[in-house]
Amino acid sequence: MPRIMNGNAFVAIENHLNNLFDQVYKHDKHDRPEITLQVQAFLDDFSESLVNHCRQLFINVREEDVIYYKSKDKRKGAYSIDPLSNYSDTLALMTTLLVAEQEDPTKRVFYYELFIQLMNSCYRKGDLISATAIWTGLRNNNLEEYVDMHQISAKSRLLWRECDVELEKINNPKTSIIAHEELRGKLKGVLIPSLNPLIQIQANCKQVYDDRCAEAQEKLKEIEPKLREIDRKMHQFLNQLQHDNSIWSQEYYNYMSTIYIHQCQFEYLCLLREFDAHLGYPGVAKEFHKDQSAERLVNLLNRCFQENCRLKVSPPNEEVVALLAEVDEFNRIYPGDLTLDLYDLVRENCQEVKAKHMGRDTSKIMAGLKQPRGTPGVWYDSEQEPQDVEYIQPAYDGIKLMNELGYAIEAHQPKVTVVPVGRMPCGFFKGIPKGQVVEEEPMLELQDVQGIDL
């Protein structure tokens, strides 16, 4: 069958992998350490290039583009997330093509196993986008059915099962955020999060937020007229008081300064509590990224962006970049729908599945590979600093009006004059006999002010 791809970078990586295959398949125990180091070096260099390239693309993404994501058919112009999305698709396609290109089933097993190891390296280094892309490429087009999985080493099969379970959790919107948080704690390193499930979570959260906003607006239409009616009555009474120069009785003043003001407060509070109880605590924020429905998503993205931006990113291997560019170009100019045709291409090129036994020595090489570590960075477990959040609330003038009304009522506080009874030791009085007590007699109580509408 004709080759699927013939690009220079694609052929170069195939030649390199074929050379590794020949050495691994034909080696003996004396040169096993050297061959193991060669395989280790390939995986380290390739995975590090992918991680650096992916991290640079991730840093270039605007965080708000993820939080307020819109699909291509709903936006205009360039979008910062597109290069990262294209990278993920290209890496998945490259993985499928490199494995499916191998007509020799034994060599196909070797390629498949190396990409399992490469996927594991990216995963352990916290690059969940590259790991997910390779994982997707190994599963696409029923590729696993055309690989003799029995000939893959026990170590690689174990890694495949582990990554398969973990990446399934990470890329499932129902478990993605929890899986990201758990892995972040497990690796103690910086994560490049898998954005596809997070974008799906964003879409679901945004829909919930939009529904709650609509519900809040409907409730506002019901509550605000009642609040405005209380405002109107208080405005009217305040204007009346400001033109009232009459003197109030103490009893009437006590009523106005306590019962009347508290009754107004009570009416306001009843309506506001009805609004809050309908929407639940703490209500609906005016901005989606500050609402409780987006809290965990935003916190995860904030930490990932901050920690990745603090790292010094090394330039990726030029050969890896050239390889990805060739695959991307192949996908772009392919005459037809590659997604549909690739299944037939894989089936036609991988008809023979039974592979030769790779031997115990090969398994020892794979078992001797070192587990990569997470990318160290600024690690902290402290809580996010609280942010100022404005919530959707009904508009009313109650607080201002009640303050002004309180001042107006205070201005009508009656002044009680005390009239002394008996003689005082001053003026024309001659004095008070020793032992005589001065009695005080209050003025007659004034009548209630008439004509004030409560």
Side-chain angles (χ1 to χ4, degrees), residues 82-347:
D82 288 349
L84 189 59
S85 178
N86 292 339
Y87 162 79
S88 178
D89 294 340
T90 300
L91 181 56
L93 178 59
M94 182 201 77
T95 302
T96 302
L97 290 176
L98 277 171
V99 176
E101 186 74 61
Q102 311 311 311
E103 294 187 65
D104 180 356
T106 306
K107 191 177 293 185
R108 195 183 313 136
V109 167
F110 178 74
Y111 272 63
Y112 200 90
E113 184 163 5
L114 269 189
F115 274 99
I116 289 176
Q117 294 285 347
L118 184 63
M119 171 189 65
N120 176 67
S121 294
C122 294
Y123 171 77
R124 301 287 174 183
K125 292 178 180 181
D127 181 3
L128 302 183
I129 291 179
S130 297
T132 296
I134 298 172
W135 175 65
T136 302
L138 293 176
R139 295 177 6 141
N140 278 349
N141 308 106
N142 294 329
L143 187 60
E144 191 174 358
E145 295 183 4
Y146 299 97
V147 175
D148 190 351
M149 299 297 290
H150 297 291
Q151 302 306 323
I152 291 179
S153 68
K155 177 66 176 297
S156 295
R157 285 201 302 269
L158 183 64
L159 292 176
W160 171 251
R161 285 195 292 268
E162 179 184 352
C163 289
D164 189 48
V165 171
E166 295 302 321
L167 291 174
E168 184 71 45
K169 293 179 183 177
I170 286 169
N171 290 282
N172 185 340
K174 294 181 180 179
T175 56
S176 183
I177 291 182
I178 295 177
H180 275 89
E181 292 171 346
E182 290 178 348
L183 182 62
R184 185 173 176 272
K186 176 182 176 182
L187 297 180
K188 295 294 182 183
V190 179
L191 291 187
I192 304 175
S194 182
L195 290 187
N196 282 340
L198 297 183
I199 287 173
Q200 294 180 52
I201 293 172
Q202 179 273 345
N204 296 335
C205 292
K206 187 65 166 59
Q207 184 61 54
V208 171
Y209 173 77
D210 291 342
D211 292 343
R212 295 182 72 231
C213 280
E215 187 179 358
Q217 295 300 330
E218 286 296 319
K219 195 63 179 176
L220 285 180
K221 293 179 182 178
E222 176 186 342
I223 296 294
E224 283 190 327
K226 299 177 182 179
L227 291 171
R228 283 195 294 268
E229 178 61 21
I230 301 177
D231 287 345
R232 186 190 65 79
K233 291 180 179 179
M234 291 184 68
H235 268 297
Q236 183 179 5
F237 184 45
L238 182 60
N239 290 335
Q240 187 177 350
L241 283 183
Q242 289 172 345
H243 296 86
D244 178 22
N245 296 320
S246 60
I247 301 175
W248 290 2
S249 69
Q250 185 67 40
E251 182 180 5
Y252 184 70
Y253 170 78
N254 290 340
Y255 166 77
M256 295 300 296
S257 62
T258 56
I259 298 176
Y260 178 79
I261 289 291
H262 291 167
Q263 183 178 357
C264 293
Q265 292 175 345
F266 178 75
E267 292 181 16
Y268 274 113
L269 288 175
C270 284
L271 291 172
L272 295 177
R273 284 173 180 170
E274 179 183 346
F275 180 81
D276 292 338
H278 184 74
L279 296 175
Y281 179 83
V284 183
K286 291 184 178 180
E287 299 174 286
F288 168 64
H289 65 277
K290 293 184 178 181
D291 190 70
Q292 61 177 351
S293 61
E295 183 177 3
R296 292 188 69 180
L297 172 66
V298 171
N299 286 344
L300 174 63
L301 289 172
N302 278 340
R303 287 187 171 184
C304 289
F305 276 109
Q306 289 173 8
E307 291 174 351
N308 278 282
C309 287
R310 291 172 182 170
L311 295 176
K312 182 179 179 181
V313 182
S314 302
N317 187 303
E318 293 182 0
E319 295 177 355
V320 174
V321 175
L323 173 61
L324 292 170
E326 280 187 2
V327 176
D328 182 56
E329 180 69 10
F330 169 78
N331 187 26
R332 189 180 63 83
I333 66 174
Y334 182 80
D337 190 340
L338 182 59
T339 304
L340 296 176
D341 294 345
L342 195 57
Y343 178 82
D344 294 331
L345 291 172
V346 170
R347 183 178 58 182

